Amino acid sequence: MKTFCGRANPTIGSMEWLEEGEDYDYHQEIARSRYADMLHDKDRNVKYYQGIRAAVSRVKERGEKAIVLDIGTGTGLLSMMAASAGADFCYAIEVFKPMANAAVKIVEKNGFSDKIKVINKHSTEVTVGPDGDMQCRANILVTELFDTELIGEGALPTYEHAHKYLVQEGCEAVPHRARVYVQLVESKRMWSWKKLFPVRVEAEDGEKILVPPSEMENCPGVPSVCDIQLNQVPSSDFTTLSDVVTMFSVDFSKPVQSASTYYRVQLEPVKSGKAQIVLSWWDIDMDPSGMINCTMAPYWALYINPFQWRDHWMQCVYFLQNEEPVLQGEKLLLTACRDEYSVWYNLQKHKADVHVESPVCRCRAHLLWNRPRFGELNDQNRTRQYTMALRKVLKTDSVCLCISDGSLLPVLAHYLGAKQVQYFVLFLHCFFKANHLEDKIKILEVRPELLKPSHLEDKKISVLVGEPFFTTSLLPWHNLYFWYARTAVSTHLASDVTVLPQSASLHMMVVEFQDLWRIRSPCGICEGFDVQTMDDMIKDSLNFRESKEAEPHPLWEYPCKSLSDPQEVLTFDFTRTVPQHCLSTEGSVNLLRKGKSHGAVLWMEYHLAADISVSTGLMQIPNEKGNCEWNPHCKQAVYFFSSVIESEILSDPTAVTYAINFDTKTGEIAMDFKLL
C-alpha cells in the first residue's frame, strides 16, 4: 500500500505529490507530533492524576466498581493513572494504529495488561455488550481531546457520542468541565495579521498611498483560529479594552451538544479605543469542586508564577470582521458562534440577529496570504528597504518583471518610475483596480517556464524583481524558487539585466532554547510510569528514511540564547542561472557562551542592492547575553541536535562542525552537525 504525500518543491514553486511507502505517513505524524511536549507538561500530568484519583474515589465511595473509558489514550498514560488509582478496569481507545500498538507495549511494560484493554478504533465505532469491545458502559470518562481552541480536535461530537452510547448517565468525567475566557483588545500588531493597511510610497512626484480594495477591506477572513504563544507578546503591543470574562462553559459529565450554536455576553469597556481583537483561552476543572484547575491563561491574567510552558495548548487570537470604536462604560454585546470544530466572534452595540454560519473569505487574499504574510506586507520599514533598493536600479525606460506571490513590488516599481511592469499573479487584479493601475501593470497568465516573447510584446526584461516570497514555501530556502524562475525566464532577460535581489545567503547559529527543546526531548519516566517505548518510537520516526531534517518554527514565539556568532554558510548568485552542480560547504563555529547546545537555527538573507539586505531570521547581532531578536513575519529552520533527541550526556562542547549541501536538482538542503 502506498501513501501520497505533499511536499514543497522549490524548483517548481509548488506542492507536488510524491508516492511514499505505507510507513512514511505515520512516521511523519509521530516525528512531528507533540507527544513529547504533552509528556513533559508536568502541570497537566499532575492535575489529571489528581482528578482521576478523586473520580475513582467518588465511585468507590458509592460502592460501585470503577470502570474507566479513556478516549484518545495515546501512550496509555491516563489509563495507567486510573488503574494505579484503583480503577477496576479501563478501556483505552486509540484510533491511530502505531500509537495503539505502542500503548499496548507501554501498558504491558508497566504491569497493567490485566486492567487495561487498548482498543484500536475510533470511539464512534466502539461496541458495548457481552460480545462487544466493552463489556459494559463506563462510569468514569477520561479524555484529553483538546487543542488550543478547545474544540478543534472534535471534542464535542466525541463527547456527544460517548454520552449516548459508551458511558452511564451521571458518570464522573475527568476533566469535569471547561471554561472559555475572552478579552477584548486593541492591537495594531495583531490587527496587521488580518488587514492590509494603506502602503505609503515616497515617489519623485510626491507621496503615493496604495489602498486595499473594498472587497479586501470588508472581507470577514477565514474562521481558522490564530493560535500563538501569547506570553511572548509584550504588553506594549496591545491595549486591553475589557476585563476577562467567561464566554461559555462545557460540563463533560453531562450529555454534550455538538450542533452549531452561539453564546452571548455583555461587556463594559474599561477603556475607550478600537475593538479589533478577541483574545481567548480556556481552563479545565478536573473535579466538580473546581479545586483541581489547569489553566491556559496568559501572564497578565495568571496569578501564579511561574506559568507552565506548553506548545500543545497555547492561546487564541480572533479577529473581528471590522474594527469597532468603543467608549469606556458603554454596554456591548460579544457573541461567540461555533460549529463542531471552530469558534468565531461578533461585536454588537445593540442586540441583533445572530448568523451562525462560518465566515468565508471572499477576497481570496486570506486564502493565499497567511497571517504572518499580512504582517510582513504591513511592515513599513521593510517596504522602505525595498523602495530604497528599487530606486537604485529603476530607470524611466525600465521594463520590469516581478516573480513573487501576492507581492506589492510591481506597484512600488510603477510608482518609482518603471516604464512597464509585468507580474504573474492574478488575484491582485482587484488591488490594481482599486488604485487605478489595471492598465499600468500587466498580469501574465502563464508560469515562468512557459513565458513567450509575445507575452512581453517582444521586449526584453531590464529589471527582474522578487521579494522573494512563495506561498508553498515551508523552509527558508524554499523561496529559492525565485532563482529557478529567474533561470526559466533567462532568454527573456536583457544582457545587462538587473536582478533584485542580486543574491541570497544562508546563515546559521547554534542556540540554547528556553523551552522549545522539550518537543523533541525524550521523557523516560512520566509521573512514575515508564514511557520509554514512546521515546524510542519518536526517535525511530525522526530517523526514518533520511537523516533528521530541519523543521520550521516562528522563533519570535520561542526564546533562545545564541551560543555562537551567526555565520554565513552558503551564497546563491541570482545574477547567474542555477548551476548544474550541487553547492556544498563545511566548517565549524566556536561556541562563545556556556549553555546547552540544543540545535542550529538557519535562515536566509536577501541582498537587494548595495548595502541593502533583508533578513528572514536574525534581526540584529545578539547582545552580550546572547538574546536573539527574530523576524516576526517568517519561520526559521531549526535543526535539533541528536543530543536533544537521544538525551545524550555530553561534556561542554567548544565548537560545532557542519556540513551543508544544496542539491540544485531538488532545491533541498541536507545538513549534518557534530558537537566537539
Side-chain angles (χ1 to χ4, degrees):
M1 182 178 169
K2 297 290 184 182
T3 299
F4 287 90
C5 299
R7 288 173 75 93
N9 184 335
T11 68
I12 60 173
S14 62
M15 298 297 286
E16 63 178 358
W17 294 94
L18 301 178
E19 192 179 87
E20 301 283 2
E22 61 180 328
D23 290 344
Y24 180 81
D25 198 34
Y26 88 72
H27 275 297
Q28 286 300 296
E29 187 164 341
I30 295 283
R32 308 301 171 208
S33 69
R34 288 291 184 265
Y35 288 117
D37 177 33
M38 289 188 282
L39 294 174
H40 282 293
D41 188 342
K42 180 78 175 170
D43 182 62
R44 162 195 177 269
N45 299 337
V46 166
K47 285 167 180 174
Y48 259 102
Y49 209 169
Q50 291 173 343
I52 288 168
R53 282 197 194 102
V56 170
S57 294
R58 290 193 298 274
V59 169
K60 293 283 193 181
E61 284 167 9
R62 297 198 295 262
E64 301 173 23
K65 281 189 171 184
I67 308 299
V68 175
L69 172 62
D70 173 9
I71 300 178
T73 195
T75 58
L77 178 66
L78 303 186
S79 286
M80 292 190 295
M81 287 178 175
S84 181
D88 293 277
F89 202 79
C90 303
Y91 295 101
I93 299 173
E94 177 55 54
V95 69
F96 186 38
K97 188 172 179 59
M99 197 68 247
N101 293 340
V104 170
K105 291 176 186 173
I106 292 169
V107 164
E108 184 178 355
K109 193 173 186 179
N110 286 274
F112 292 110
S113 294
D114 60 331
K115 288 283 188 81
I116 298 171
K117 178 184 179 182
V118 178
I119 303 168
N120 178 212
K121 285 186 176 181
H122 195 284
S123 64
T124 56
E125 298 169 345
V126 170
T127 56
V128 179
D131 300 319
D133 300 307
M134 298 170 61
Q135 291 290 295
C136 61
R137 288 184 177 230
N139 54 11
I140 300 176
L141 176 57
V142 177
T143 64
E144 204 278 62
L145 300 169
F146 315 117
D147 67 348
T148 294
E149 200 172 19
L150 185 71
I151 66 172
E153 290 185 4
L156 296 180
T158 302
Y159 270 111
E160 185 174 40
H161 176 271
H163 276 286
K164 282 182 181 175
Y165 302 107
L166 304 178
V167 297
Q168 297 174 16
E169 187 178 346
C171 73
E172 300 287 345
V174 182
H176 180 80
R177 75 175 66 84
R179 280 176 297 262
V180 172
Y181 299 91
V182 294
Q183 187 171 32
L184 202 60
V185 303
E186 175 181 348
S187 171
K188 185 178 181 182
R189 179 182 179 185
M190 293 185 224
W191 194 235
S192 77
W193 300 340
K194 194 228 179 194
K195 293 280 185 182
L196 188 63
F197 299 161
V199 180
R200 299 177 183 276
V201 185
E202 290 293 337
E204 283 193 5
D205 55 346
E207 186 182 67
K208 307 283 187 184
I209 300 177
L210 312 177
V211 295
S214 58
E215 53 261 57
M216 202 180 283
E217 269 292 280
N218 300 319
C219 182
V222 289
S224 58
V225 66
C226 177
D227 54 340
I228 64 169
Q229 293 281 1
L230 209 48
N231 288 309
Q232 295 307 318
V233 178
S235 57
S236 56
D237 275 1
F238 61 94
T239 302
T240 56
L241 301 180
S242 79
D243 291 328
V244 176
V245 298
T246 303
M247 192 72 229
F248 64 91
S249 63
V250 184
D251 186 336
F252 297 123
S253 69
K254 296 176 181 173
V256 171
Q257 301 295 318
S258 66
S260 298
T261 188
Y262 69 90
Y263 313 91
R264 186 173 264 163
V265 294
Q266 190 173 79
L267 294 179
E268 213 167 281
V270 295
K271 193 177 286 185
S272 299
K274 296 174 187 172
Q276 299 166 326
I277 304 291
V278 176
L279 301 181
S280 179
W281 57 90
W282 50 265
D283 68 6
I284 43 180
D285 289 333
M286 296 297 183
D287 64 324
S289 70
M291 296 294 288
I292 309 167
N293 179 265
C294 186
T295 180
M296 306 309 120
Y299 63 87
W300 66 89
L302 192 61
Y303 306 110
I304 53 172
N305 201 28
F307 61 86
Q308 169 75 45
W309 182 85
R310 305 179 169 93
D311 204 42
H312 55 107
W313 295 331
M314 293 184 276
Q315 295 82 31
C316 303
V317 175
Y318 294 98
F319 306 92
L320 295 174
Q321 181 164 340
N322 293 296
E323 64 182 15
E324 186 75 50
V326 297
L327 297 172
Q328 182 178 342
E330 79 172 325
K331 289 187 167 46
L332 303 170
L333 292 170
L334 182 66
T335 304
C337 302
R338 69 151 181 83
D339 55 22
E340 289 183 338
Y341 299 100
S342 57
V343 184
W344 57 98
Y345 286 86
N346 294 306
L347 185 69
Q348 296 113 5
K349 295 193 175 179
H350 308 286
K351 197 165 184 177
D353 291 336
V354 176
H355 300 286
V356 186
E357 296 82 23
S358 176
V360 176
C361 172
R362 297 187 294 266
C363 72
R364 292 181 62 199
H366 299 93
L367 303 176
L368 291 163
W369 292 335
N370 59 19
R371 274 111 186 194
R373 177 60 172 166
F374 268 96
E376 187 171 59
L377 291 170
N378 284 322
D379 186 336
Q380 197 65 41
N381 289 330
R382 183 177 179 276
T383 300
R384 200 172 295 118
Q385 284 181 289
Y386 277 94
T387 302
M388 285 164 46
L390 284 167
R391 268 207 200 95
K392 287 177 180 278
V393 302
L394 288 174
K395 300 172 185 171
T396 53
D397 61 349
S398 291
V399 177
C400 188
L401 175 65
C402 178
I403 301 176
S404 274
D405 281 352
S407 176
L408 302 183
L409 289 188
V411 183
L412 299 185
H414 168 72
Y415 281 142
L416 294 172
K419 179 182 177 182
Q420 247 184 277
V421 183
Q422 272 106 178
Y423 193 26
F424 284 108
V425 174
L426 284 169
F427 96 96
L428 277 181
H429 186 266
C430 63
F431 186 92
F432 300 153
K433 191 175 179 182
N435 290 278
H436 311 293
L437 298 171
E438 62 266 48
D439 59 339
K440 311 289 186 189
I441 297 170
K442 182 181 178 184
I443 295 171
L444 303 173
E445 299 184 33
V446 292
R447 288 184 56 81
E449 61 270 20
L450 300 176
L451 193 64
K452 295 177 182 176
S454 57
H455 292 124
L456 303 173
E457 299 169 8
D458 294 317
K459 290 190 173 73
K460 291 287 187 181
I461 301 300
S462 59
V463 179
L464 181 70
V465 301
E467 296 194 40
F469 171 85
F470 302 97
T471 55
T472 54
S473 298
L474 301 175
L475 291 161
W477 47 88
H478 288 171
N479 285 319
L480 285 173
Y481 169 63
F482 175 78
W483 201 11
Y484 290 89
R486 174 256 182 271
T487 301
V489 302
S490 58
T491 58
H492 305 286
L493 305 180
S495 57
D496 59 348
V497 66
T498 299
V499 182
L500 185 156
Q502 57 195 20
S503 64
S505 51
L506 178 69
H507 295 248
M508 61 84 67
M509 187 170 70
V510 179
V511 302
E512 175 184 32
F513 285 108
Q514 185 174 300
D515 294 296
L516 187 64
W517 61 272
R518 299 175 196 275
I519 69 171
R520 293 287 165 264
S521 177
C523 185
I525 303 296
C526 182
E527 298 309 310
F529 302 100
D530 187 337
V531 292
Q532 178 73 39
T533 302
M534 185 71 237
D535 295 335
D536 295 340
M537 191 174 174
I538 292 173
K539 185 176 148 189
D540 289 346
S541 289
L542 284 167
N543 292 325
F544 174 73
R545 199 190 71 169
E546 301 161 343
S547 61
K548 295 186 307 299
E549 298 173 333
E551 50 192 77
H553 291 283
L555 291 189
W556 74 266
E557 295 183 57
Y558 303 102
C560 61
K561 178 177 81 171
S562 71
L563 300 185
S564 74
D565 280 336
Q567 186 151 324
E568 182 181 299
V569 290
L570 273 180
T571 57
F572 311 92
D573 184 357
F574 297 153
T575 65
R576 301 176 182 273
T577 57
V578 177
Q580 293 296 306
H581 59 86
C582 293
L583 303 179
S584 298
T585 185
E586 53 185 48
S588 66
V589 289
N590 293 323
L591 301 185
L592 309 175
R593 298 177 186 88
K594 292 276 188 186
K596 294 182 178 176
S597 302
H598 288 138
V601 178
L602 299 101
W603 66 94
M604 299 291 289
E605 289 190 7
Y606 294 101
H607 311 293
L608 307 183
D611 304 322
I612 303 175
S613 293
V614 173
S615 173
T616 68
L618 203 60
M619 299 305 285
Q620 57 187 38
I621 299 295
N623 63 16
E624 287 179 10
K625 294 181 179 177
N627 296 331
C628 304
E629 182 187 339
W630 299 99
N631 186 322
H633 312 310
C634 304
K635 287 184 178 181
Q636 292 73 40
V638 177
Y639 183 102
F640 288 103
F641 295 154
S642 58
S643 55
V644 173
I645 294 158
E646 298 173 12
S647 201
E648 294 173 2
I649 299 185
L650 296 170
S651 55
D652 284 345
T654 56
V656 174
T657 65
Y658 61 84
I660 294 173
N661 180 71
F662 175 65
D663 186 337
T664 55
K665 297 283 190 297
T666 65
E668 286 294 351
I669 289 180
M671 61 196 78
D672 188 38
F673 294 89
K674 287 188 173 60
L675 278 64
L676 299 180

